[in-house]
Amino acid sequence: MRKHIRIKNYILITVMLVLTFSLAIVTGVFIYSFRKDMYDSVKKDANSRAVDIADILSSYGVEQIEDNSILNFKISDSVKAQKGRVIIVDRSYKIVEDTATEEEGSFIIDQNIMKVMKGESESISMDGESDTKIIYPVVRENEIIGVLFYKASMSDVMTRSDKILDIGVIALLAILVIDFLIIRVISKNSVSDINDINEKIMHAALGNLQERLPEDKGFVEIQVLSENYNEVLEKLATIDQTRSEFVSNVSHELKTPITSMKVLAESLTQNEAATAEEYKEFMTDIVDEIDRETKIINDLLTLVKTDSNNNDMNLEEVDINEMMDTIIKTVTPLAKQRSIDLSYESYKEVMARVDVVKLSLAISNLIENAVKYNIDNGWIKCSLNADNRYFYIKVADSGVGIPEDAKERVFERFYRVDKARSRDTGGTGLGLAITRGIVNAHKGTIKLYSESGKGTTFTVKIPLDTK
């Protein structure tokens, strides 16, 4: 239901239902308690009046009732006050007094009266919806000389409780109407900020990434949502800017080798006196530019594959120690060319579910960068460790380091700390971007620690089981 209803309407309906149910229960309990108290009061009064009448009968007997003014007053007052009926039965089961004058002088055969008359029951009370009945013995000198049948009507109780019920229903409806209006205003105000956020999101969807939401307005949840929304907009703006820079960088990087090749080719065609040696030199330079273009394109394709779909991961159980040994053997010749001491230490055997091809590429990028941006006769220290959930690969070097202002950008595509040195070493500026993409695809993290001129340390943390 919530998928097809507005939040304010959902709040309104839900609160009204809960409120109606709660008020109905409270009203019902109140009316029931009121009616029961009145019922018990009438019953208690009837029992007291019956005892009083029975005591008078015990003193004066049940024969000369008409001459007993006190008794007659008690009986008439009780009948009038409780809209009831009094029947007095003597020992022979003859009705000597009936305030309803329906059965006076006749005999009565009633099982309950007989039980009280015989002393089998001290008294009998019979409660009904419309009246309460009491059968009480008349005792004189420890001998039952008659029975008093007393009936009190509950009509007043029913009438008053019905009036209370009507008043309760009217009051309940009035409260619900007032509450409806109040809750409607509250529910409308509670979602007004959400509507503003939704409007801003629509603007953002149309390309307007400049509008921001106030972060000190409304409920705490709205403030947090506004902060998150503004943060998302900042990231979207950054991504949009990065995308523009990426397109510009790709165009520049691809155009540079082509421009160089064009200049070299034009130089050959315009120099009719060029020698074979010059042709060979120029063609060698052209081949180098083609290789450079090919490397850029291959790195771009790798980057696109890494970003496009993590489901293409070929996960398998891999011996990480063996993978690291292979990488170290591959990079060692490159390190020896500059007399760099490349060492590797494994602290434990590690088996993990990874894409060995992609992960090998990521780690190779880190170690090759440590070689390229190191000093001659420097060192590189690689290590492998693990706990019960993750394995850790660390690559530390004694290289030139990374300036503080460049640490946040080294993972950006085509970003180079030292552009001239990167080109000399054959870098495309995509290696660390590819590495981070592969690590992220493995649900891992990569962290950088570096000081300019004091070397760099990369730490990679990846789950043992990437699901």
Side-chain angles (χ1 to χ4, degrees), residues 5 36 50-51 62 84 88 163 294 343 395 400 416:
I5 190 172
K36 186 176 183 300
V51 170
V62 297
I88 301 174
K163 288 182 179 179
T294 301
S343 63
V395 179
V400 296
R416 299 183 180 91

Side-chain angles (χ1 to χ4, degrees), residues 253-462:
E253 294 294 333
L254 293 178
K255 183 179 179 181
T256 300
I258 294 175
T259 303
S260 298
M261 286 185 284
K262 181 180 179 182
V263 171
L264 291 169
E266 287 177 348
S267 297
L268 284 176
T269 57
Q270 292 173 4
N271 187 5
E272 297 178 357
T275 64
E277 288 296 326
E278 290 175 330
Y279 266 97
K280 184 177 180 179
E281 181 183 351
F282 275 56
M283 292 306 296
T284 301
D285 291 340
I286 290 175
V287 169
D288 289 341
E289 293 298 330
I290 292 174
D291 289 340
R292 181 180 167 192
E293 187 95 359
T294 301
K295 182 172 177 54
I296 294 173
I297 293 172
N298 288 337
D299 282 351
L300 283 171
L301 291 174
T302 301
L303 189 63
V304 170
K305 288 180 181 178
T306 303
D307 288 345
S308 62
N309 192 354
N310 292 339
N311 293 328
D312 290 340
M313 300 278 287
N314 183 23
L315 299 176
E316 55 183 329
E317 195 76 13
V318 174
D319 186 338
I320 305 299
N321 303 76
E322 184 178 328
M323 181 193 79
M324 289 297 297
D325 287 333
T326 302
I327 295 172
I328 296 298
K329 288 178 183 178
T330 303
V331 183
T332 296
L334 182 63
K336 286 183 176 180
Q337 291 177 4
R338 300 183 58 199
S339 300
I340 295 173
D341 180 27
L342 175 57
S343 63
Y344 164 63
E345 186 174 7
S346 175
Y347 292 95
K348 66 187 300 184
E349 295 295 321
V350 180
M351 297 294 296
R353 277 180 56 82
V354 298
D355 187 322
V356 66
V357 175
K358 291 182 179 178
L359 187 58
S360 296
L361 173 61
I363 304 304
S364 294
N365 282 342
L366 293 179
I367 300 176
E368 287 176 6
N369 277 354
V371 174
K372 293 175 183 176
Y373 301 103
N374 213 321
I375 58 175
D376 292 338
N377 301 311
W379 52 262
I380 300 173
K381 296 179 181 179
C382 303
S383 64
L384 171 65
N385 205 347
D387 54 27
N388 60 340
R389 293 182 61 191
Y390 301 93
F391 68 90
Y392 306 87
I393 297 174
K394 182 181 291 186
V395 179
D397 65 56
S398 59
V400 296
I402 300 173
E404 191 67 31
D405 59 350
K407 289 180 181 179
E408 297 296 325
R409 301 196 61 192
V410 292
F411 293 102
E412 294 179 11
R413 300 160 186 181
F414 292 114
Y415 181 79
R416 299 183 180 91
V417 177
D418 186 343
K419 294 180 173 57
R421 185 182 179 96
S422 296
R423 297 194 184 234
D424 291 340
T425 57
T428 62
L430 295 173
L432 287 180
I434 292 172
T435 297
R436 184 174 64 174
I438 292 173
V439 172
N440 289 343
H442 282 84
K443 299 181 181 178
T445 57
I446 180 170
K447 293 184 178 180
L448 162 66
Y449 306 91
S450 182
E451 289 185 44
S452 183
K454 295 185 179 181
T456 303
T457 300
F458 285 95
T459 302
V460 176
K461 172 186 173 183
I462 295 178

